Amino acid sequence: MVAKMTLPEKVNITTGTGWMMGPAVGNTGPALEVGFPALFLQDGPLGIRFTDNATAFPAGITVGATWNKELMYQWGNAHAVEARKKGINAILGPCVGPLGRMPAGGRNWEGFGADPYLQGIAGAKAVKGIQDEGVMATIKHLVANEQEHFRQSFEWGLANAISSNVDDRTMHELYLWPFGDAVKAGVASIMCSYNQINNSYACGNSKLLNGLLRDEMGFQGFVMSDWLAQRGGVSSALAGLDMTMPGDGLFWANGKSLWGPELTRSVLNGSVPLDRLNDMVTRIVAAWYQMGQDDETKFSPKGPNFSSWTDAEKGVSSPGSPTEQEEHTVNEFVNVMGNHSALARQIAAEGTVLLKNEGLLPITRDGRTPSGKVKKEGEPLRIAIFGEDAGPGKGANFCKDRACNQGTLASGWGSGSVEFPYLVSPDEALSKAWDSKRVKVTAQLTNSPSLRTRSDILEEADICIVFANSDSGEGFVAWDNVAQNCHSGDGAVLVVIHTVGPVIMERWIDLPNVKAVLLANLPGQESGNALADVILGDVNPSGKLPWTIGRALDDYGEGGKVMYKPNGLLPQQDFKEGLYIDYRFFDKYDIEPRFEFGFGLSYTNFEFANCVVKTVRPKTAMPAPRPKDFAPPPEYDTTIPDPQEALFPSAIRRLEKYVYPYLDSVDDIVSDPYPYPDGYDVQQPLSGAGGDEGGNPDLWETYVEVSVDITNTGSTQGQAVPQLYLSYPNSATVDFPIKVLRGFDKLLLEKGETRTVTFNLTRRDLSYWDVTAQNWVMVVEGEYKFMVGRSSRDLLVSGTW
């Protein structure tokens, strides 16, 4: 197919048509003569953005908090079912970057947690779920895009984006790690980020795209830019970018592309070799074929049945153009939700973390609690709900892209947000949940109730449920009055928090009346129902923290703080903490967290015993030699085509601001040899870490098996989440974290039941990146230690290897 394409058709496939120049947030041009359609790309991590009749799923961070691999897969798969039925070729997700270096990072909630292993497993499961449905997944954002301030040129008044300066070992073991899992899973596309990496823009960084991604990781798909993250034309093509989005170049919606006609010109004058363009197109077309999107019974060649730009039935195809266009049906209002509400509810419930429980939860439908101490004899249980976060506010979709904080918080804001088909508020669900004859519920859905109202309700209440949320990582509600005065000081307080990240709880967490705390993350459309499931005990809480909750922001170290003021015209952010973020930092400096990474309580208890370590393959320092030519590229005629085929066809009616691949004239094409930079033609040696999708196949072989017996010793069934952490052998020459996560599972256990869980550890799991050898190296001398337990600081059994 690629060999038959004309030069403009090839350019069409690699270049977006411009912002708002098609129904999706990203639209490419087609290659009609060979039967390749336009592709349509759509956000995002919570569901299908800018459309109706689609599910608002829980956010990625809620999925991460489930620690449930099957739900990670199902979440991705359900996204893809809805995307395919809406006519979308590629989902712009899942997100594994930012990793979560900073607890107040603006987009941490789109990913799965502040650990590369957890992010990697969740991202790979989601990719598999998406692509099993025939939709392309786009893992993002590559890489070290850890804060929103200064992430993009001109966005914060500076001409250049921030540079994330990361050393080689940290890049491999932390920030690139989850992308390696996605490549191993066969991800079709990777989105490069806005920021610079070591002072080279991510979408024009040849070491990143050609070296680390393609050579070391063996990535076979295509690299697309984040929207306007491309900062050069020829340079980004040579550096390894394959698709530019949305098509406009340095500024939004001006129709002036760095590729489009400029890429056509660059091929004709020899500044972009034709084999590089052929490689771009091959990667995109191959992904289309691999997903089975050439099957028109599954993928309509008509494209999306909705418009991202209007809610009306009628509209124009390219609303970003001022050119007069004929209106037609752009929104068919296709309902693609199916029964996905049940999955959304399950994820939201399993992603809810029980942080504290002193005999208060669950509260049964007839008002009973485990301690039985909160209710007056012979009277109904009186429950008072406080806080704006408990209620519907002005509606889930009141603010564009959810860019305000009102009502209950079920989603973050920005390109990762969706239109809610509905949102069940906690107040609505809880008011219906209890037996009205035995439980009396009152609600004050405001953060500032009047003093009289507050005192009257507090005087009567047996239990106060206080709701709050955080969109910045800092708490903002004053708790003392409610906590101290609920039922004249004798009442019990349940605190429910919806949040995009860790929140500081020190002002109120130890108050005597605060008996229980639930962290509900970002639960999506089924928010209230899922919360009621947990509070009433219909679902035994099994969520675990996907990051550490410290006692102060300083606990996370200097690297954990967002740079809000630039330190230069080109802000420099040195990742000096290296491998030590989140729990690794707390461990290294012996800082006691409020709640550690992986922590989460249950209504039952689990015991761990009999840790058995079995050698599968012997230790060797270096992996097996790299396989040769695992995916030889197709060969094409590299003769520069006749420039006449690039001329603008007279039959096409031009739309202003639409990005076309054609040229008005070819008279100015220069055919002199292009002055490529020194070293451009030097053949680079292949990395020993590469050799297949995901890297050297030996890295993915199991070397050790660790098995543990887990028993439910409590009074009810529940889901255990065993977590395996690895400590490397002591080394005089290599600095290792105290421990790193290298395995987890989730299993349902009946009361008294014992099951054995087995963790398979790969060579990659057991290795570190040696910056001298430029390879993954296993420590041969000394003993590895494997510790298994309930959290990163509650490790009950161990074994050595």
Side-chain angles (χ1 to χ4, degrees), residues 691-707:
D692 202 345
E693 284 186 299
N696 189 323
D698 192 23
L699 296 174
W700 300 92
E701 295 290 344
T702 297
Y703 273 68
V704 186
E705 290 181 357
V706 179
S707 61

Side-chain angles (χ1 to χ4, degrees), residues 183-200:
V183 173
K184 178 65 176 176
V187 69
S189 178
I190 292 179
M191 183 189 294
C192 50
S193 54
Y194 287 115
N195 56 292
Q196 300 188 55
I197 299 156
N198 301 334
N199 289 287
S200 174

Side-chain angles (χ1 to χ4, degrees), residues 282-347:
T282 297
R283 289 171 174 275
I284 298 167
V285 172
W288 180 75
Y289 272 120
Q290 180 140 347
M291 296 302 109
Q293 294 185 5
D294 55 321
D295 182 354
E296 294 187 4
T297 64
K298 287 187 66 177
F299 277 85
S300 170
K302 295 190 303 180
N305 49 42
F306 70 96
S307 169
S308 298
W309 319 116
T310 179
D311 295 329
E313 181 180 0
K314 301 286 186 179
V316 297
S317 297
S318 300
S321 175
T323 308
E324 185 177 345
Q325 303 167 61
E326 291 185 5
E327 285 200 347
H328 59 98
T329 299
V330 293
N331 282 310
E332 298 178 21
F333 310 110
V334 178
N335 190 321
V336 298
M337 294 187 287
N339 64 348
H340 292 157
S341 61
L343 175 62
R345 183 170 179 168
Q346 183 183 358
I347 293 171

Side-chain angles (χ1 to χ4, degrees), residues 690-749:
D692 202 345
E693 284 186 299
N696 189 323
D698 192 23
L699 296 174
W700 300 92
E701 295 290 344
T702 297
Y703 273 68
V704 186
E705 290 181 357
V706 179
S707 61
V708 176
D709 293 339
I710 304 171
T711 302
N712 182 347
T713 59
S715 59
T716 185
Q717 72 164 208
Q719 293 190 90
V721 182
Q723 303 165 38
L724 181 146
Y725 294 82
L726 172 158
S727 287
Y728 289 89
N730 292 328
S731 171
T733 57
V734 183
D735 181 39
F736 290 112
I738 302 296
K739 58 179 172 291
V740 293
L741 180 69
R742 284 296 184 264
F744 65 89
D745 206 342
K746 193 166 195 175
L747 54 158
L748 178 67
L749 293 173

Side-chain angles (χ1 to χ4, degrees), residues 536-582:
L536 271 68
D538 295 342
V539 171
N540 192 338
S542 60
K544 304 292 179 182
L545 287 179
W547 20 247
T548 299
I549 296 179
R551 296 172 185 268
L553 181 58
D554 287 343
D555 287 355
Y556 296 86
E558 193 60 34
K561 296 180 180 180
V562 173
M563 180 192 292
Y564 291 111
K565 295 182 179 179
N567 57 6
L569 292 175
L570 199 170
Q572 301 291 308
Q573 192 162 62
D574 299 330
F575 287 33
K576 290 182 289 188
E577 73 286 345
L579 300 173
Y580 298 100
I581 68 168
D582 202 79

